[in-house]
Amino acid sequence: MEQLNLGDSKGINRRRRSDQTLHIIFLACTSIGILALMALIVTIVTDGIFRLSPDLFTNYPSRIADKAGLKSPIVGTIYLLLLMAPLSFILGVGAAIFLEEYAGRSRWVRLIQLNISTLAGVPSIIYGILGLAIFVRGMNLGRSLLSGVLTMTLLVLPIIIVAAQEALRAVPKNRRDASYALGATKWQTVSSAVLPSAIPGIMTGVILALSRAIGETAPLIMIGALTYVAFLPENLLDSFTVMPIQIFNWISRPSEAFHELAASGIILLLIMLFIMNIIAVWIRNKYSKNI
């Protein structure tokens, strides 16, 4: 008995040492990530905070650093976001509802879902090549705002579909059963019992996908979005630019003044992303309480 108790004690001590070791490793990994992120943010804020002025919002891009601003890139980013959001929401959530509620579990459906999950991890530049081939050249839309909107919609669609499917899948089955037991149709069940429960997860996924989209540069460079636009787009077929492209243009210049402007642009972009993430959290918390 004493030998057994001694063995148990050694086993417990070994597991505790293992837990403590893993705790230290995970803490070190988290600390390294946070410190690297903080160092990056502090560097950007230090470089760009003095360039945050009203001129940054009212001036167009210029070859002279003191006269350069982000007016057309900011407006282009907002236009892109406003047009892309409803389009990607309707297509993405609609596809998720069909795949999760109507399509069943056939081999073809599983194959489609596997491809959608794979597309969610495809590098963004691939979507740029696709947008260049289909929208810019195939549909003759040119280097227009509409081409950019459609290309970025393709980029976020797989992410939204996967997020929406997960949210729909998380709704308890008894909600559907209760709805059917009351004589509701399929659509009445989906619209009145399933979607209200899934909307927090769906909206969180949509906003996080859009947050990724406004920081992307490669797809828009591939479709030929301009780096110097001294006007605002007046219709969907006008040329445009966005903040990441302008920041990329400034950071590639040798002048230190343009690097400071790029840092100020990154600060604005981070603020936009922070606001969008706050909205996602607020929507999730608000609707979670109503379920």
Side-chain angles (χ1 to χ4, degrees):
M1 180 63 74
E2 291 180 355
Q3 290 180 350
L4 182 61
N5 290 337
L6 184 61
D8 289 344
S9 177
K10 288 181 178 178
I12 292 172
N13 291 333
R14 189 167 55 249
R15 288 196 291 273
R16 284 178 177 172
R17 285 196 297 273
S18 176
D19 284 343
Q20 289 174 351
T21 304
L22 289 173
H23 177 81
I24 294 171
I25 291 173
F26 294 146
L27 179 62
C29 293
T30 306
S31 301
I32 290 171
I34 291 175
L35 288 174
L37 182 62
M38 291 302 297
L40 185 63
I41 291 176
V42 168
T43 303
I44 290 170
V45 171
T46 304
D47 291 344
I49 191 69
F50 299 106
R51 290 281 180 177
L52 287 176
S53 65
D55 291 342
L56 190 68
F57 299 89
T58 57
N59 289 355
Y60 288 105
S62 170
R63 293 183 177 87
I64 303 172
D66 291 336
K67 297 182 179 179
L70 281 170
K71 184 176 180 178
S72 54
I74 290 174
V75 173
T77 300
I78 293 172
Y79 281 175
L80 191 77
L81 199 60
L82 292 178
L83 293 169
M84 183 178 60
L87 187 61
S88 56
F89 179 84
I90 293 170
L91 293 177
V93 177
I97 291 174
F98 173 75
L99 291 172
E100 200 60 33
E101 302 291 336
Y102 289 91
R105 292 290 180 268
S106 67
R107 181 183 300 176
W108 288 108
V109 173
R110 291 199 299 272
L111 181 63
I112 291 172
Q113 289 185 330
L114 175 64
N115 280 280
I116 291 173
S117 300
T118 305
L119 286 173
V122 169
S124 59
I125 195 167
I126 303 299
Y127 289 97
I129 297 172
L130 194 63
L132 178 67
I134 297 176
F135 305 125
V136 177
R137 295 178 179 171
M139 298 173 65
N140 289 323
L141 295 177
R143 302 172 178 179
S144 63
L145 178 61
L146 183 57
S147 294
V149 169
L150 295 175
T151 302
M152 298 308 285
T153 301
L154 283 182
L155 173 69
V156 300
L157 260 184
I159 303 171
I160 293 176
I161 293 173
V162 171
Q165 278 190 277
E166 291 296 330
L168 292 170
R169 208 170 292 155
V171 177
K173 186 175 179 297
N174 55 15
R175 292 184 73 92
R176 295 177 175 83
D177 294 341
S179 178
Y180 290 135
L182 293 173
T185 63
K186 184 80 172 179
W187 171 242
Q188 287 172 333
T189 300
V190 171
S191 60
S192 301
V194 178
L195 274 180
S197 299
I199 202 67
I202 292 174
M203 291 305 298
T204 302
V206 170
I207 292 176
L208 293 179
L210 295 179
S211 300
R212 177 195 171 185
I214 66 169
E216 286 286 351
T217 309
L220 298 175
I221 290 179
M222 281 303 301
I223 66 169
L226 302 178
T227 56
Y228 178 77
V229 176
F231 56 87
L232 301 180
E234 296 181 353
N235 60 62
L236 291 176
L237 297 180
D238 275 352
S239 300
F240 75 106
T241 188
V242 292
M243 291 176 66
I245 290 181
Q246 191 59 55
I247 292 169
F248 173 75
N249 176 262
W250 281 342
I251 208 72
S252 62
R253 297 191 179 196
S255 172
E256 188 65 29
F258 281 109
H259 293 175
E260 294 173 357
L261 282 170
S264 64
I266 294 172
I267 293 173
L268 290 180
L269 207 54
L270 286 174
I271 292 172
M272 291 177 66
L273 291 172
F274 183 72
I275 292 172
M276 291 180 70
N277 281 274
I278 291 292
I279 293 173
V281 172
W282 177 77
I283 289 174
R284 186 181 62 204
N285 293 336
K286 177 179 174 60
Y287 286 95
S288 295
K289 294 176 182 176
N290 297 333
I291 296 174

